Each structure stands twice: as C-alpha cells, then as structure tokens.
Amino acid sequence: MRYQSTRGGASVTLDEALRQGIAADGGLYLPESLPELTLSSGADSADIKVTAGTFLAPFFAGSDLEDSLDEIIAETFSFPLPVSALEVAAGRCDVLELYHGPTAAFKDIGAGFLAACLSRLEGDAEKPLTILVATSGDTGGAVAAAFDGRPGMRVVVLYPDGMVSARQAHQLTCWGDNVLSLAVDGTFDDCQAIVKSAMADRQLNDKHRFSSANSINIGRLLPQAIYYAHASVLHKMRTGTAPGFIIPTGNLGNAFACFLARETGMPIGKIILATNANRLIVDYLAGSAWEPRASIQTLASAMDVGNPSNMERLRHVGGDAEDLVGRIRAQSVTDAQIKSQIRRDYEELNLISCPHTATATYVWQHLDEEERLSHDWIVVATAHAAKFEQIVEPIIGERIALPSVLAAILKKPSHFVPIEASMAAFEAALEKQFD
Ligand SMILES: *Cc1c(COP(=O)(O)O)cnc(C)c1O
C-alpha cells in the first residue's frame, strides 16, 4: 500500500508517511486506494486485537513494520474500549468508551500507536528523534505518555503556563528523562509558533531531528478506525443492524476515522458530528464557504478548533459539501446546552459525561423522535469526566471518582522548565536537558 498527499504528488511508503507527518506540499497523507473489508475476514472476533490485525493488514502491506504489526497492536490496545448500554426509556443508545487509556482520553490510542510505530522505525537510529508537541491540554499528555521511556525517542511538550487545569498540567509534566516539559510564558499560539520555527530551522533540526505527533499524522488516524470497525461489526452480529455513530468533533480526526471505516465496508449507519460553538463544519455542510475561523473558547476545550485540518481528508475521500450532505451530518452545541446536558445525562441516563461527550449525548437526545427510535445509536465518549472535574462536579453536585490511570499519574512527581516565549529560551532549555 502506498500513501499520497491530498494535494497530489508522488506517493510514499507508509513508513515515510509516518516519519513525515505532514506531506512536503502541506497536504495530508491518505492510502492510495481503500481496501474492501468483509466481516468474514476475521473482523468479527470479540477481541479488538484480532479486528485490528485484519483491518490494518492491507494498510501495512509492504511496510518495514509489517512483521511487527501484531506487537504494535498489542501495545496500542492494551486497555479496554468497552461499549456500554445506556438506560434509555425507548430505542437503543450505547456509549463507546474511549477513555480507559493512560491519560483517560481517546488520543491515547492514536498517540500510542504512532509511538509504537515510530520507535520501531527510528529506535535504532544514531541520533534520537525529538517529537515536538504544542498543546493546550489533552494532546501533549497523550503523546508524552505514549513516548515516555522509549529508547531513541525524545519528546518536548510546550504548553501555555497557567492556562491549563491543574490536573492537565500534571499530565504534561510527570514523565521520565526523555520528556522535556516547557511551561511557556505565553499563549497556545506562542507555543505553536515556537514549534513551527524550530521545525523550519535547518541547523537545529539537524541537531535534534525534530518530528511532530499531531493529529494529522496517518499513524494517529488508522488505529482510530479500528474501534469503529470493531464496535460496528459486533453490533451488526448481535442485532442485525448497522449502528449510527455520534462523535464529538474538533479537528475531525476521530470522526474521519469512522468515515474511513465505513468506506472500507464496515457496517456503520449514519455518522453525525457533534461540534461545540466552533461551527465551521456545520455551516460548511449547510452551504457556507470553507473559510478558516479563529477558534472560540468553550467548555469542550479539546474541540476548540477554528480550522479543522482533517476536512481536507474528508473532502478528498467524500467530495465537497454537496456530495457530503447525506453521507455525514453535523450539529453545533453551545456551552449552555453542554451544561444542561451534563445534568440531564446524570439525572436521566445515570451517565457522568465530560463536556466533549455531552455534545454527542445532546445531539442524540435532540434527534427527531422517529430517527432516534428507529435506529441503534452509539455515542462516542472521548474523555473521562474526572479530567474536567472543575466543570462537571459543580453541575452534578457530586465528586467524580478518579479512575486508577489518572490517580497513578497524579501521584508521580511533576517537573517542568518555565521559559519565556522565545526561540532562544527554547533552544537553551533543549541544550540543558539533552546535551
Ligand atoms: C481531541 C478531542 C476531541 C476532538 O477530536 P478530533 O479528532 O480533534 O475531532 C474530542 N474530545 C476530546 C476529549 C479530545 O481530547
């Protein structure tokens, strides 16, 4: 299998696409052709690792990693991804729980898989590879956890000092010697600007071998398709119907993976994206032009994306708005609606939702009744509510029990280097830690 940029050009191997992250022309990598997968090819096992092996085999054909695929899968899917039934009065709605990984959010799956791949491709190289990640919360923790302690790999996490929650800050700063956490005196945009300048700096790049692990890397996308494949196939086997998915959406990585899984033939019904007040996708599907916007801060902060980069992939595979309408839908949920839905989930469904997950339960609850009752639905829970306890606890009036993964993280000592928002300060911190 070869991979091509959404903007055309020559194709590359999977290994090249994994190393590069973004294509040289600024486009995003996609497989040149999509395999057609069928239930009988083994994707009907109760073990998600078996589904993953079947699903990923064609995508890894010809890769240096082909022989390690089973190991990579075992490392990535080392925690459960259960589907639980909601206590609904009528109809059927399940929750796909993607928050049982090391940092209690779905990004653990993509980050873990990418780390498992890159450490095998690059672990023996003479100079370590240095992953740079600017983060406003979830991504940095998942990437740091995934690369923590891996030989031949380093991570530098940059986050805006004082602008992430205490628990989030701890997740960014509690890792081993190969992870450098920089508390930047500035905004998320300042952090991102440093990463961009560093990547573009030839000399610095030669020295540290920078790479990125952001959500446009194909290595984060492919493993996300697997839980949709697995959940939908098992649902189809049990009930005879293809479930619809409602997915909290920001940069469109998670939801695009669902679309991809359906394109390969997985029994997935409707796909509905739930966004927060950042509603570019919703407006685009309703006929507006695709024009990047400044992001708006919301309670579902990991979805505060004004210019969702994976739309480029979705349009490449699914066509422009006229073609996409009917294949995918989207609805925007305001902060007030998120708050009231968190309460309603708790009171009516016995579910403690994080603010991101609440956008999806809101959309499900407000479907047209006929549509809600005549289809089986699976809402996607993207993070554990305990990560956002400052928002959720006052609404439900109850302390949220800390899942063991988060409790373990919070017990680790935290260490970080405060820097001013400049390249000079960034370079100095790198020298000090890694020389
Ligand atoms: C990143 C994130 C999202 C959004 O996922 P995308 O792939 O960017 O659409 C939703 N919920 C949580 C908790 C996240 O961390």
Side-chain angles (χ1 to χ4, degrees), residues 223-421:
Q224 291 173 181
I226 292 162
Y227 42 75
Y228 294 110
H230 189 65
S232 65
V233 168
L234 287 188
H235 190 95
K236 179 82 192 282
M237 295 216 320
R238 285 196 197 113
T239 68
T241 64
F245 284 89
I246 306 177
I247 307 168
T249 294
N251 207 28
L252 200 45
N254 199 9
F256 178 69
C258 184
F259 193 85
L260 203 68
R262 192 174 64 182
E263 291 292 300
T264 66
M266 294 298 110
I268 292 168
K270 300 183 181 192
I271 300 175
I272 308 182
L273 318 180
T275 76
N276 57 24
N278 292 278
R279 48 176 300 134
L280 176 59
I281 298 172
V282 179
D283 293 343
Y284 172 70
L285 292 177
S288 297
W290 184 262
E291 273 162 13
R293 299 176 185 172
S295 63
I296 301 167
Q297 271 193 19
T298 75
L299 293 173
S301 54
M303 291 157 46
D304 292 349
V305 181
N307 180 18
S309 29
N310 281 297
M311 182 54 92
E312 187 161 331
R313 281 194 171 114
L314 182 60
R315 284 162 75 168
H316 195 82
V317 176
D320 285 337
E322 314 84 77
D323 304 311
L324 283 173
V325 169
R327 303 179 72 184
I328 201 158
R329 275 153 56 191
Q331 186 176 339
S332 163
V333 181
T334 66
D335 271 359
Q337 290 165 338
I338 287 173
K339 277 191 191 162
S340 65
Q341 189 64 34
I342 289 173
R343 179 173 301 113
R344 193 166 174 189
D345 286 348
Y346 181 70
E347 287 171 356
E348 294 179 19
L349 303 174
N350 199 20
L351 175 73
I352 302 182
S353 307
C354 88
H356 311 83
T357 304
T359 63
T361 47
Y362 180 91
V363 168
W364 170 77
Q365 199 116 48
H366 291 82
L367 286 171
D368 168 78
E369 178 157 309
E370 202 278 321
E371 185 175 39
R372 184 159 50 83
L373 298 181
S374 61
H375 291 72
D376 289 354
W377 294 97
I378 299 181
V379 298
V380 178
T382 48
H384 195 289
K387 289 191 86 166
F388 304 93
E389 87 287 3
Q390 285 160 326
I391 297 167
V392 180
E393 285 180 354
I395 295 174
I396 65 172
E398 192 191 303
R399 293 299 291 270
I400 304 167
L402 210 53
S404 55
V405 284
L406 284 187
I409 282 179
L410 293 176
K411 261 196 231 125
K412 294 185 185 206
S414 153
H415 44 88
F416 59 90
V417 178
I419 65 164
E420 61 175 66

Side-chain angles (χ1 to χ4, degrees), residues 59-77:
F59 293 99
F60 273 70
S63 159
D64 286 349
L65 297 169
E66 217 173 346
D67 292 339
S68 315
L69 187 54
D70 286 345
E71 274 170 39
I72 292 169
I73 289 169
E75 275 177 31
T76 310
F77 295 96

Side-chain angles (χ1 to χ4, degrees), residues 173-254:
T173 57
C174 68
W175 309 104
D177 288 344
N178 72 325
V179 179
L180 171 61
S181 307
L182 300 176
V184 177
D185 183 13
T187 61
F188 170 67
D189 291 337
D190 294 327
C191 298
Q192 208 156 30
I194 293 175
V195 168
K196 279 202 180 134
S197 310
M199 295 276 200
D201 184 325
R202 264 276 167 78
Q203 224 180 341
L204 206 58
N205 224 319
D206 280 348
K207 185 155 183 206
H208 294 285
R209 296 188 66 221
F210 292 136
S211 180
S212 77
N214 59 20
S215 67
I216 54 179
N217 195 305
I218 188 81
R220 287 187 48 181
L221 192 65
L222 290 176
Q224 291 173 181
I226 292 162
Y227 42 75
Y228 294 110
H230 189 65
S232 65
V233 168
L234 287 188
H235 190 95
K236 179 82 192 282
M237 295 216 320
R238 285 196 197 113
T239 68
T241 64
F245 284 89
I246 306 177
I247 307 168
T249 294
N251 207 28
L252 200 45
N254 199 9

